Amino acid sequence: MTSTGPVGSEDLVRRAVAAFNSGDHAQATDLCELGLKRHPGDPALCHLLAAVLFARSDLPAARARIEASLASRPDNVPALILAGRIARAEGRFDAALQMLDRAARQSSRVEILLEQARTFDQASDATAAGAAWDRVLQSDPKSVEALARLGRLAWERGAPAEAEGFLVRAVAGGGHPAQWFDLGLVRQDMRKFEAAAEAYRQVLAKSPDAAEAAANLGVVLQEMGDLDRAMAAYSQAYRLSPSTFGIIAMALTSAPSGRLWLDEEALRRLLEQFEENA
């Protein structure tokens, strides 16, 4: 229960931060609102309440509070970064970049570069995103997020060897399933089928419900001439998501080592049979 005794804004901020960090967003909100009743327009309380509202996905209210905070402290870097995040979440990319540019004039924090790169990504500006992620990597050569994004962007622009280099570095510490999946796609395009199969197996080890990875594993195993294991992978994909059937049927009938299936139901039964015998 929130105390109503006399208390300064700094103490309220401290208690609200503790509540927020513990996951009690309701109490954090109550404490911030109590503080703002006693200290109207307090920039720290406005900033913190904006962060709480942002975490609760109340974007218009979060924007109003961070704008109130910036009205008192227009050059506060953490507030500018939060304002940029809120604007990006609302799809106001130009506004987000303006806030982040203001923050960058005050500080060289890598966090600002990250937010700029994420904003260009979300705005689907691949050229600007690539340059922004390069700046992140220059500041933090071990940034897994930058390595993964640069790898994906390189693959999308048709530079698979460059993409593979970035993605291999991204997964070196274990890797996220999405990063391994991208590495599988790149190696599959390069016809490095054994390496692609290993990447897709890593996806499935980390995310056993990844139907697309199972289907792609089947494709590369089929390309390697291992039809039995390919069928097992296809069966796994079909079990996880029946919508993969079209991809499976196309792969089986188009690859040199595939089979011709005139009866769709017969293929479905075979996939189910592999599932039962797995």
Side-chain angles (χ1 to χ4, degrees):
M1 187 172 181
T2 303
S3 171
T4 59
V7 64
S9 63
E10 290 184 4
D11 185 60
L12 280 167
V13 168
R14 184 165 52 252
R15 290 164 56 192
V17 167
F20 180 76
N21 289 339
S22 70
D24 191 343
H25 293 177
Q27 184 183 23
T29 300
D30 289 344
L31 287 164
C32 288
E33 290 177 344
L34 174 63
L36 287 168
K37 286 179 181 177
R38 296 175 176 176
H39 312 280
D42 182 275
L45 284 166
C46 284
H47 183 169
L48 181 54
L49 183 53
V52 176
L53 292 166
F54 181 51
R56 297 172 70 172
S57 299
D58 189 346
L59 300 182
R63 190 208 314 183
R65 290 300 183 179
I66 201 62
E67 287 175 350
S69 179
L70 286 168
S72 297
R73 299 187 301 186
D75 294 328
N76 182 268
V77 171
L80 287 167
I81 293 172
L82 178 57
R85 287 175 176 158
I86 293 168
R88 173 162 59 88
E90 292 181 309
R92 298 183 300 113
F93 303 124
D94 287 343
L97 291 168
Q98 288 172 10
M99 292 294 179
L100 295 168
D101 285 344
R102 284 171 56 187
R105 289 195 289 271
Q106 307 294 326
S107 170
S108 58
R109 290 165 57 172
V110 176
E111 183 182 8
I112 300 168
L113 299 177
L114 275 169
E115 289 302 322
Q116 289 172 325
R118 290 166 181 163
T119 302
F120 284 125
D121 257 345
Q122 196 167 330
S124 301
D125 188 339
T127 300
W133 286 118
D134 273 331
R135 290 192 292 272
V136 173
L137 198 61
Q138 289 168 14
S139 296
D140 180 8
K142 295 183 179 180
S143 171
V144 172
E145 185 178 359
L147 289 166
R149 288 303 303 146
L150 286 167
R152 179 76 186 195
L153 289 166
W155 177 67
E156 289 175 351
R157 70 169 186 271
E162 181 183 348
E164 184 182 29
F166 281 126
L167 289 165
V168 166
R169 291 167 62 190
V171 302
H176 186 277
Q179 296 158 8
W180 280 106
F181 185 82
D182 283 351
L183 183 57
L185 290 177
V186 168
R187 287 174 165 171
Q188 188 174 346
D189 277 359
M190 298 173 76
R191 302 190 67 79
K192 294 183 176 181
F193 295 128
E194 289 189 14
E198 176 56 28
Y200 291 133
R201 289 190 182 103
Q202 287 286 344
V203 177
L204 290 164
K206 297 172 183 295
S207 181
D209 60 349
E212 192 174 357
N216 285 9
L217 176 59
V219 171
V220 296
L221 289 169
Q222 186 177 334
E223 290 284 357
M224 292 163 58
D226 192 342
L227 194 56
D228 285 343
R229 288 187 180 177
M231 288 299 297
Y234 288 146
S235 174
Q236 181 182 8
Y238 182 65
R239 171 176 55 81
L240 291 168
S241 176
S243 66
T244 59
F245 180 80
I247 297 171
I248 295 167
M250 183 179 296
L252 282 169
T253 57
S254 62
S257 58
R259 298 173 181 172
L260 182 61
W261 294 93
L262 298 178
D263 186 344
E264 179 180 301
E265 289 306 314
L267 176 54
R268 291 183 186 275
R269 287 195 297 272
L270 181 62
L271 291 169
E272 292 166 356
Q273 175 185 332
F274 266 87
E275 177 186 338
E276 291 169 359
N277 295 336

